[in-house]
């Protein structure tokens, strides 16, 4: 599995420098609200990990992988590990970016630090949900055939959620709903955040098992 992670990472070396643009894109979301930065950053890093599918297909790497003493399940595991590492990088860089964005955002965040934890856990949940929407399709169909449903549709969905949040949060009185939601989450830390993390883990597991099954039955 470690070998597959390294192979995939080296395969997308052409895109490595582009990863530095991701925080810039995420920081732009901070003009509206600092609460948007972390989930945006996590999604952008997840979206970046799809480059492995594009490079794999362009270089016909599937056939190369299958000539090596590597099981198909290892290919899936390696890609998921790399993607999860990218998601964690999105979290790690997104939190300080959110702090920075709060200095110039239209809607400032005034709550205590512990209120920000639900934003982090919800970002993990979004990561898992979009993982389920994207990776199984790409493993089943490949990049060219699967990019519409496995890439463009989830991207449009994320843009819709982003726009919906901006519209809803900007309506008069809704800031109090957000305030009370964050307060409730901080008072029920284990129930809310623990439940979200558990749901995220289960969805990611379903995504992995589905991808593993679909890729094992794929013909090349």
């Amino acid at each position: 599995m470690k070998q597959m992670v390294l192979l995939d990472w080296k395969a997308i070396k052409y895109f490595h420098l582009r990863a530095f643009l991701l925080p810039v894109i995420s920081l732009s979301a901070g003009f509206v609200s600092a609460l948007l930065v972390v989930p945006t950053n996590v999604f952008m890093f997840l979206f970046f990990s799809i480059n492995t599918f594009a490079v794999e297909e362009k270089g016909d790497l599937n056939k190369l992988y299958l000539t090596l003493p590597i099981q198909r399940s290892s290919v899936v595991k390696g890609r998921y590990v790399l993607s999860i590492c990218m998601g964690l990088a999105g979290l790690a860089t997104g939190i300080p970016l959110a702090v920075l964005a709060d200095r110039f955002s239209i809607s400032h965040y005034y709550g205590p630090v512990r209120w920000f934890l639900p934003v982090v856990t919800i970002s993990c949940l979004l990561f898992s949900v979009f993982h389920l929407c994207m990776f199984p399709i790409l493993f089943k169909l490949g990049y060219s055939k699967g990019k519409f449903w496995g890439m463009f549709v989830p991207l449009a969905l994320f843009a819709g959620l982003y726009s919906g949040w901006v519209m809803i949060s900007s309506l008069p009185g809704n800031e109090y709903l957000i305030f009370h939601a964050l307060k409730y989450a901080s008072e029920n830390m284990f129930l809310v955040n623990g439940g979200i993390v558990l749901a995220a883990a289960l969805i990611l597991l379903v995504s992995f098992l589905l991808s593993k099954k679909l890729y094992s039955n794929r013909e090349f």
Side-chain angles (χ1 to χ4, degrees):
M1 185 178 65
K2 181 180 178 180
Q3 182 182 9
M4 284 308 309
V5 174
L6 292 175
L7 283 173
D8 277 337
W9 179 247
K10 290 178 181 178
I12 61 171
K13 62 181 180 181
Y14 175 77
F15 299 95
H16 286 177
L17 289 178
R18 298 185 185 183
F20 292 101
L21 294 175
L22 303 181
V24 178
I25 297 173
S26 303
L27 191 60
S28 64
F31 281 104
V32 178
S33 172
L35 297 177
L36 291 170
V37 175
V38 175
T40 301
N41 205 50
V42 170
F43 179 81
M44 293 304 301
F45 273 83
L46 169 61
F47 203 73
F48 179 83
S49 68
I50 291 180
N51 287 316
T52 53
F53 291 95
V55 172
E56 168 198 84
E57 190 164 293
K58 184 177 181 180
D60 207 10
L61 297 181
N62 275 308
K63 294 181 180 179
L64 171 63
Y65 291 159
L66 297 179
T67 61
L68 300 173
I70 298 174
Q71 296 180 344
R72 289 195 181 194
S73 60
S74 296
V75 176
V76 179
K77 289 177 183 177
R79 198 149 300 169
Y80 267 72
V81 170
L82 178 59
S83 179
I84 291 171
C85 288
M86 296 299 294
L88 292 174
L91 276 178
T93 56
I95 294 173
L97 285 175
V99 175
L100 175 62
D102 196 44
R103 295 177 176 272
F104 57 78
S105 62
I106 297 174
S107 176
H108 291 286
Y109 175 74
Y110 296 105
V113 175
R114 68 179 183 276
W115 286 19
F116 198 75
L117 184 57
V119 177
V120 174
T121 56
I122 290 173
S123 299
C124 294
L125 180 60
L126 289 174
F127 176 88
S128 298
V129 169
F130 282 108
H131 223 290
L132 180 60
C133 294
M134 299 161 77
F135 272 52
I137 294 174
L138 293 171
F139 270 114
K140 172 63 177 178
L141 301 176
Y143 180 77
S144 296
K145 294 180 179 179
K147 64 182 178 181
F148 177 78
W149 292 106
M151 188 173 73
F152 294 139
V153 170
L155 180 60
L157 177 59
F158 180 80
L161 290 173
Y162 178 89
S163 301
W165 167 266
V166 173
M167 289 188 293
I168 292 173
S169 61
S170 61
L171 293 175
N174 280 355
E175 63 272 12
Y176 295 106
L177 293 176
I178 299 171
F179 172 84
H180 288 299
L182 293 174
K183 182 179 179 181
Y184 176 83
S186 67
E187 293 173 350
N188 300 271
M189 195 75 70
F190 178 78
L191 177 64
V192 175
N193 297 303
I196 294 174
V197 171
L198 179 59
L202 290 175
I203 293 172
L204 191 60
L205 177 61
V206 171
S207 175
F208 169 73
L209 294 176
L210 184 57
S211 294
K212 183 179 175 181
K213 180 177 177 58
L214 293 173
Y215 188 68
S216 65
N217 296 329
R218 184 177 167 187
E219 295 182 1
F220 297 101

